[in-house]
Amino acid sequence: EAQVTQNPRYLITVTGKKLTVTCSQNMNHEYMSWYRQDPGLGLRQIYYSMNVEVTDKGDVPEGYKVSRKEKRNFPLILESPSPNQTSLYFCASGASSYNSPLHFGNGTRLTVT
Amino acid sequence: AQKITQTQPGMFVQEKEAVTLDCTYDTSDQSYGLFWYKQPSSGEMIFLIYQGSYDEQNATEGRYSLNFQKARKSANLVISASQLGDSAMYFCAMNSDYKLSFGAGTTVTVRA
């Protein structure tokens, strides 16, 4: 089954404790991206990747890191989480074309206390 | 810079009636794609419909249709014959230059 898999689904952590949210896709997509969703703001792009070893900042990259060492994986790293990073996070993947829809993971709800 | 505007934070619709969700966008690119996604209360993002900037006909997918007016830069979603299961948040999005930008969303509540 074609899918984007994010883990974990829920995560509660404390300020400053490094964490990684994993994302994996099995559709051989070149394009992958991370979004955060906050009430009233829709989804905002954090980082995206056009291919292996190619990453770029989205609209809200501060406080986040990503890597793309393999085509299928695109982890999101929070080196020192803060409460303002409490949010719902989505990983997505798609073909590298403006007319291709993105396939989303089920989301990770992160709470930083 | 790209911008997607959804001016309706929430809407109520009677079951079996049609509802139109507004979306306007702003871009200087000639090639772009417009998408609508549905997010039910369970949280997942479900792709509904796509319209390309060069498409002359409005896209349709079952009960969903996209009213595309390029000169007005609008891409409204029409849901016909609403069902209780249509209650959800709906997002308009634009893909331009490999960047997918989203509007703030519209919550639709279908009443029996």
Side-chain angles (χ1 to χ4, degrees):
Chain A
E1 179 188 354
Q3 59 185 3
V4 178
T5 304
Q6 278 181 246
N7 281 297
R9 288 295 307 277
Y10 301 92
L11 180 58
I12 300 174
T13 190
V14 297
T15 300
K17 185 176 181 181
K18 181 180 178 180
L19 66 91
T20 299
V21 184
T22 63
C23 175
S24 180
Q25 51 95 2
N26 62 2
M27 295 167 278
N28 202 36
H29 285 154
E30 294 171 338
Y31 183 89
M32 296 186 76
S33 183
W34 277 101
Y35 291 86
R36 62 178 287 174
Q37 182 181 4
D38 301 289
L41 297 177
L43 279 79
R44 294 178 293 168
Q45 191 177 48
I46 303 171
Y47 270 95
Y48 65 97
S49 170
M50 296 295 294
N51 214 324
V52 175
E53 303 292 0
V54 180
T55 62
D56 210 343
K57 296 177 180 178
D59 297 317
V60 289
E62 295 77 21
Y64 304 94
K65 284 176 57 177
V66 293
S67 68
R68 188 92 181 272
K69 292 182 170 53
E70 305 166 283
K71 197 171 188 178
R72 62 183 292 126
N73 294 325
F74 191 45
L76 178 70
I77 303 157
L78 284 71
E79 294 270 5
S80 183
S82 62
N84 65 11
Q85 292 179 298
T86 292
S87 188
L88 177 60
Y89 291 86
F90 286 100
C91 178
S93 74
S96 291
S97 171
Y98 71 86
N99 59 357
S100 296
L102 289 187
H103 300 259
F104 283 83
N106 285 333
T108 296
R109 189 166 291 281
L110 172 65
T111 302
V112 184
T113 61
Chain B
Q2 303 170 127
K3 186 176 180 180
I4 311 294
T5 303
Q6 295 180 253
T7 57
Q8 307 150 310
M11 299 184 71
F12 291 94
V13 59
Q14 206 62 33
E15 195 177 11
K16 300 181 184 177
E17 292 186 348
V19 61
T20 297
L21 309 183
D22 295 339
C23 173
T24 58
Y25 60 92
D26 188 20
T27 182
S28 56
D29 293 329
Q30 297 300 310
S31 301
Y32 53 88
L34 296 158
F35 302 83
W36 279 91
Y37 287 84
K38 173 184 178 181
Q39 186 180 42
S41 58
S42 51
E44 69 268 32
M45 295 289 287
I46 302 168
F47 164 67
L48 294 178
I49 194 167
Y50 158 80
Q51 179 86 40
S53 57
Y54 296 112
D55 295 340
E56 295 186 353
Q57 287 196 319
N58 288 340
T60 60
E61 289 286 349
R63 295 186 298 109
Y64 304 107
S65 60
L66 201 155
N67 185 359
F68 180 47
Q69 299 188 44
K70 192 171 184 177
R72 293 186 176 185
K73 293 188 175 179
S74 74
N76 298 340
L77 177 71
V78 180
I79 306 174
S80 61
S82 296
Q83 302 171 355
L84 295 178
D86 294 334
S87 294
M89 176 85 84
Y90 290 82
F91 291 98
C92 179
M94 178 173 66
N95 190 341
S96 175
D97 195 22
Y98 305 113
K99 179 181 173 64
L100 188 68
S101 300
F102 286 82
T106 296
T107 300
V108 172
T109 303
V110 180
R111 290 169 164 160

